[in-house]
């Protein structure tokens, strides 16, 4: 029996891994396209783009894993049933529980993996991604210049450049700086480049001039071959990184700091996210039960199980959408959080009930239908 169990598990494991990888790749491609703004408008390197894309993977995997498990289980179980391997298992004396046990064990393992990722991996990755995006958004050195546009990267600072080549060299640069004392300074340069000297970003300008008006109206003019414009004063910001509910760990969701205004105002939303972290992994077991119901929950058919698979697929989609709706509703009504557990567990219970409610004789009955067994053996 252990040999058969391992065989059935292997037949399910391969398609599950392949389906998860394929669906994750599609979701990752969609996410990476939305993150292209980091390179195009924020002028970041490909390494930053890759980092942000990879940090989004744990959340994507958690989203696609139940769907991948359902698709893989339907494909593998359908093939095993059509080729009469599951029929042979029943004919060999295996109980219905022993036949479905490998699939449920696989679903249980995937559920534990999803739970681990929900509780620790996803929050850690989401926090790192949020911090990276915050650094990109507040990186003045990377957003200082945009070709053919007047930009105001910081209060009192206006920058214009005619063009920026692929090497980062800025051509025909114009900078106007307004000072707190009422004075103003204007810089023009044929070319410039954002570099770092020490730990400070600076704008190195060449072949230009400096016109400074004091608050008394005195004009000072200076031409230069090279001038260093310090950007560090404009990088100082009191803005802090704000973690969204998806970025927080479980204890932060269930026990928020009510001294913080935002957390006090969004306590119900944090509670809904915390319960969702615990319940979403259950959909892996639920969808595996659906797959078993579609194939084993009915009689054997040589024509396939397309109709049953379609019904089960539509039911799985409806159940998952209902889960999302309930999660959204629980953000305003905390008592609805109970339904976040009821939906996956209830759907799984109904699916397992449908599997065990099916009479064994619909598959094969050694005592009552010996002729059918003989027919299967000769086939």
């Amino acid at each position: 029996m252990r040999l058969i169990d391992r065989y059935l598990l292997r037949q399910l494991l391969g398609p599950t891994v392949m389906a998860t990888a394929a669906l994750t790749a599609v979701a990752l491609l969609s996410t990476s396209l939305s993150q292209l703004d980091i390179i195009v408008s924020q002028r970041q390197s490909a390494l930053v783009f890759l980092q942000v894309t990879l940090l989004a993977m744990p959340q994507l995997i958690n989203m696609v894993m139940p769907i991948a498990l359902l698709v893989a289980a339907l494909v593998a179980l359908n093939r095993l049933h059509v080729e009469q391997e599951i029929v042979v298992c029943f004919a060999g004396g295996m109980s219905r529980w022993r036949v479905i046990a490998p699939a449920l064990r696989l679903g249980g393992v995937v559920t534990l993996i999803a739970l681990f990722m929900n509780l620790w991996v996803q929050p850690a990755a989401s926090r790192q991604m949020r911090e990276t995006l915050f650094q990109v958004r507040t990186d003045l050195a990377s957003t200082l210049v945009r070709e053919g546009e007047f930009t105001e990267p910081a209060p009192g600072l206006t920058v214009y450049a005619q063009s920026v080549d692929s090497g980062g060299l800025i051509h025909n640069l114009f900078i106007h700086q307004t000072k707190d004392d009422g004075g103003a300074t204007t810089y023009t340069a044929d070319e410039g480049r954002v570099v770092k000297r020490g730990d400070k970003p600076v704008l190195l300008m060449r072949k230009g001039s400096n016109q400074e008006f004091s608050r008394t109206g005195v004009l000072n003019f200076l031409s230069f071959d090279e001038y260093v414009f310090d950007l560090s004063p404009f990088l100082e910001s009191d803005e802090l990184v704000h973690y969204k509910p998806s970025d927080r760990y479980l204890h932060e969701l269930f026990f928020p700091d009510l001294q913080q205004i935002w957390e006090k105002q969004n306590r119900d939303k944090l509670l809904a996210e915390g319960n969702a972290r615990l319940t979403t992994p259950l959909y892996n077991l639920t969808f595996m039960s659906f797959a078993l119901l579609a194939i084993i929950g009915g009689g054997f058919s040589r024509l396939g199980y397309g109709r049953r698979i379609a019904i089960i697929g539509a039911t799985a989609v409806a159940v998952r959408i209902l889960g999302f709706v309930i999660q959204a509703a629980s953000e305003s009504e905390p008592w609805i959080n109970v339904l976040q557990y009821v939906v996956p567990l209830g759907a799984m219970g109904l699916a397992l009930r449908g599997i065990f409610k099916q009479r064994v004789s619909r598959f094969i009955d050694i005592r009552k239908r010996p002729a059918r067994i003989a027919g299967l053996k000769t086939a």
Side-chain angles (χ1 to χ4, degrees):
M1 291 297 184
R2 292 186 179 275
L3 182 62
I4 297 177
D5 288 348
R6 288 197 298 267
Y7 172 76
L8 295 176
L9 185 61
R10 284 197 306 270
Q11 297 300 310
L12 290 166
L13 182 60
T16 300
V17 174
M18 293 180 62
T20 303
L23 291 177
T24 302
V26 173
L28 192 61
L29 178 61
S30 176
T31 302
S32 63
L33 291 176
S34 65
Q35 299 294 346
L36 281 178
D37 180 67
I38 295 176
I39 290 182
V40 177
S41 62
Q42 301 292 340
R43 305 182 63 84
Q44 295 294 317
S45 64
L47 184 61
V48 174
F49 170 75
L50 180 63
Q51 179 184 2
V52 172
T53 303
L54 293 179
L55 288 174
M57 283 191 64
Q59 189 172 11
L60 294 176
I61 292 175
N62 277 336
M63 290 180 60
V64 305
M65 196 177 290
I67 302 174
L69 193 63
L70 175 65
V71 173
L74 287 173
V75 171
L77 291 172
N78 183 60
R79 183 183 61 81
L80 289 172
H81 211 27
V82 169
E83 294 178 359
Q84 302 184 14
E85 294 185 58
I86 292 180
V87 175
V88 171
C89 291
F90 284 115
M94 292 182 66
S95 65
R96 184 177 287 105
W97 174 254
R98 289 299 305 273
V99 172
I100 70 173
L104 293 179
R105 282 200 296 269
L106 177 61
V109 171
V110 174
T111 299
L112 293 177
I113 293 174
L115 182 63
F116 174 76
M117 295 181 66
N118 264 2
L119 299 186
W120 290 285
V121 179
Q122 177 189 330
S126 296
R127 281 172 177 255
Q128 184 61 44
M129 182 175 67
R130 193 73 57 196
E131 293 172 0
T132 302
L133 293 175
F134 178 80
Q135 293 174 1
V136 168
R137 185 166 53 86
T138 58
D139 187 1
L140 176 65
S142 64
T143 59
L144 179 66
V145 179
R146 296 186 180 180
E147 293 184 344
E149 296 183 18
F150 284 93
T151 60
E152 295 184 2
L157 183 66
T158 303
V159 181
Y160 173 85
Q162 182 180 12
S163 63
V164 182
D165 61 23
S166 58
L169 186 63
I170 306 169
H171 298 279
N172 295 329
L173 180 64
F174 170 86
I175 298 177
H176 181 76
Q177 180 185 5
T178 302
K179 299 183 178 179
D180 295 335
D181 59 3
T185 306
T186 301
Y187 302 90
T188 58
D190 291 343
E191 60 184 40
R193 185 187 298 272
V194 177
V195 297
K196 281 192 175 183
R197 289 197 172 179
D199 294 332
K200 297 182 179 180
V202 298
L203 178 61
L204 184 60
M205 296 183 286
R206 293 188 177 91
K207 300 178 182 179
S209 62
N210 174 9
Q211 301 177 34
E212 182 178 358
F213 284 92
S214 66
R215 62 180 180 177
T216 59
V218 178
L219 173 64
N220 296 317
F221 180 84
L222 173 68
S223 61
F224 56 80
D225 290 329
E226 183 176 284
Y227 186 87
V228 177
F229 185 77
D230 188 11
L231 297 175
S232 56
F234 304 100
L235 298 177
E236 298 177 358
S237 175
D238 296 332
E239 187 178 359
L240 300 175
V241 180
H242 173 69
Y243 293 123
K244 295 182 178 181
S246 59
D247 306 332
R248 298 170 185 256
Y249 291 99
L250 191 65
H251 68 278
E252 297 173 326
L253 296 172
F254 283 117
F255 307 101
D257 183 6
L258 299 182
Q259 301 298 323
Q260 303 291 332
I261 297 178
W262 186 91
E263 296 191 11
K264 185 177 181 179
Q265 294 176 343
N266 295 272
R267 185 176 183 180
D268 293 343
K269 184 180 295 185
L270 295 173
L271 183 62
E273 175 66 22
N275 284 283
R277 295 282 183 86
L278 297 175
T279 56
T280 50
L282 295 174
Y283 285 96
N284 292 285
L285 267 175
T286 301
F287 282 15
M288 177 60 80
S289 302
F290 279 176
L292 291 169
L293 177 63
I295 305 301
I296 301 180
F300 174 80
S301 174
R302 291 180 178 272
L303 301 178
Y305 308 93
R307 184 172 177 271
R308 288 202 311 235
I309 289 175
I311 294 174
I312 289 296
T315 304
V317 171
V319 168
R320 193 66 190 96
I321 292 176
L322 180 60
F324 285 126
V325 171
I326 290 175
Q327 181 182 349
S330 62
E331 294 179 0
S332 57
E333 295 292 340
W335 68 269
I336 301 180
N337 283 303
V338 177
L339 298 181
Q340 291 201 59
Y341 299 87
V342 171
V343 169
L345 292 176
M348 179 172 59
L350 291 175
L352 292 176
R353 181 175 179 274
I355 294 172
F356 287 96
K357 186 178 180 181
Q358 177 66 37
R359 297 180 58 186
V360 177
S361 60
R362 290 285 300 277
F363 293 102
I364 192 164
D365 193 324
I366 300 176
R367 294 171 298 178
K368 296 182 179 180
R369 301 185 182 180
R372 183 178 178 183
I373 300 176
L376 289 175
K377 289 182 178 181
T378 57

